[in-house]
Amino acid sequence: MVGPVHKLAVGAHYGGWDWLVQRATALVMLAYTVLFIGIVLWNGGLSYPVWKSLFANGAFRVVSFVFMAALLYHAWVGARNVLMDYAKPTALRLALMIVVVALLAAYAGWTVQLLWGDA
Amino acid sequence: MAAADRPLVKPRPIYLNLFAIRQPVPAIISILHRVSGVLLILVGIPVLLWFVDASLASPERYAGAYGALTSWFGRLVLLTLAWSVFHHVLAGIRHLLLDIHLGLDLAPARRSAAIVLVVALLLTLACAVRLW
């Protein structure tokens, strides 16, 4: 006989994957930071025309989107770790996780709007 | 008291007052890594998106956002975010170095933790000087 199956709403076996994601996304963000500083130095500071033309550049938009995607994924892994440590009641933890997911999804939408919207 | 009357396992003293335990420097920068991360999620990302959005929208909206960020309260927010970024990035780099087994021993680990704490504060101080 197979005993009752206990499905837990919390905890899983994604620790190793998340560990790797946290480091990979950190490296992506560091690379973007170096690139951005390089662009600023190359242009001898950031004037308004340079700033505008930078965000008009399709490649820079895509690279900036990759940075934000890495940032938001990194933020999710970090927030999830913090909630697992401090929000002990399962209902509270899941509720806060939903809040964080909604918040990060909103940031993602804002990012797309900012990068490709016709402002 | 006869030996048999004594409880088999002596109750151990439980003393976990986090404010009374002296935390080693790596523990301090670790909790600050979390604090700065949460600050960046709740305040840092929206401020970044809002400012870049405004700066690209029009010179007027850029001027408005610039004015808000350089107000007294705005500068306080900026300074807090600056510290958050510096501390989070430096503590993160330290983590990556530990991952490739650099500075794993106790003494270097404590030294690098102290460096993270101090350099983040010095960079924040430099920002404060520039902002005021």
Side-chain angles (χ1 to χ4, degrees), chain A residues 23 48 51-52 85 107 110, chain B residues 34 41 46 53 55-56 99:
Chain A
R23 279 136 187 91
Y48 196 65
W51 183 244
K52 283 289 270 190
D85 280 354
Y107 292 161
W110 195 354
Chain B
R34 290 188 156 197
I41 289 176
D53 200 0
S55 74
L56 293 171
D99 284 341

Side-chain angles (χ1 to χ4, degrees), chain A residues 19 23 26-27 30 48 51-52 55 67-68 71-72 74-75 79 81-82 85-86 103-104 107 110-111 114 119, chain B residues 31 34 38 41-43 45-46 48-59 62 88-89 93 95-96 99:
Chain A
W19 179 89
R23 279 136 187 91
L27 290 174
L30 282 176
Y48 196 65
W51 183 244
K52 283 289 270 190
F55 280 92
F67 167 80
M68 280 306 293
L71 173 56
L72 295 176
H74 190 94
N81 283 349
V82 168
D85 280 354
Y86 306 125
L103 190 66
L104 297 179
Y107 292 161
W110 195 354
T111 302
L114 183 162
Chain B
I31 189 63
R34 290 188 156 197
V38 171
I41 289 176
L42 295 180
V43 187
I45 299 175
L48 173 75
L49 289 172
W50 164 76
F51 185 72
V52 174
D53 200 0
S55 74
L56 293 171
S58 68
Y62 170 75
H88 204 86
V89 170
I93 290 172
H95 242 300
L96 291 172
D99 284 341

Side-chain angles (χ1 to χ4, degrees), chain A:
Chain A
M1 278 295 286
V2 178
V5 177
H6 296 286
K7 286 196 170 165
L8 294 176
V10 287
H13 300 283
Y14 42 59
W17 170 250
D18 275 3
W19 179 89
L20 193 62
V21 161
Q22 207 60 343
R23 279 136 187 91
T25 49
L27 290 174
V28 168
M29 288 186 280
L30 282 176
Y32 180 85
T33 307
V34 171
L35 173 77
F36 187 80
I37 293 173
I39 290 173
V40 173
L41 292 179
W42 180 260
N43 287 292
L46 277 179
S47 63
Y48 196 65
V50 168
W51 183 244
K52 283 289 270 190
S53 68
L54 194 56
F55 280 92
N57 182 309
F60 184 76
R61 285 179 180 174
V62 171
V63 171
S64 297
F65 179 76
V66 171
F67 167 80
M68 280 306 293
L71 173 56
L72 295 176
Y73 199 166
H74 190 94
W76 165 244
V77 174
R80 205 198 50 130
N81 283 349
V82 168
L83 289 177
M84 285 199 302
D85 280 354
Y86 306 125
K88 289 301 181 187
T90 305
L92 175 70
R93 184 188 297 177
L94 291 180
L96 288 175
M97 281 181 171
I98 290 168
V99 170
V100 171
V101 167
L103 190 66
L104 297 179
Y107 292 161
W110 195 354
T111 302
V112 172
Q113 204 174 41
L114 183 162
L115 288 172
W116 284 283
D118 290 310

Side-chain angles (χ1 to χ4, degrees), chain B residues 115-128:
Chain B
I115 290 170
V116 166
L117 191 69
V118 171
V119 172
L121 286 173
L122 285 178
L123 289 170
T124 309
L125 186 69
C127 283

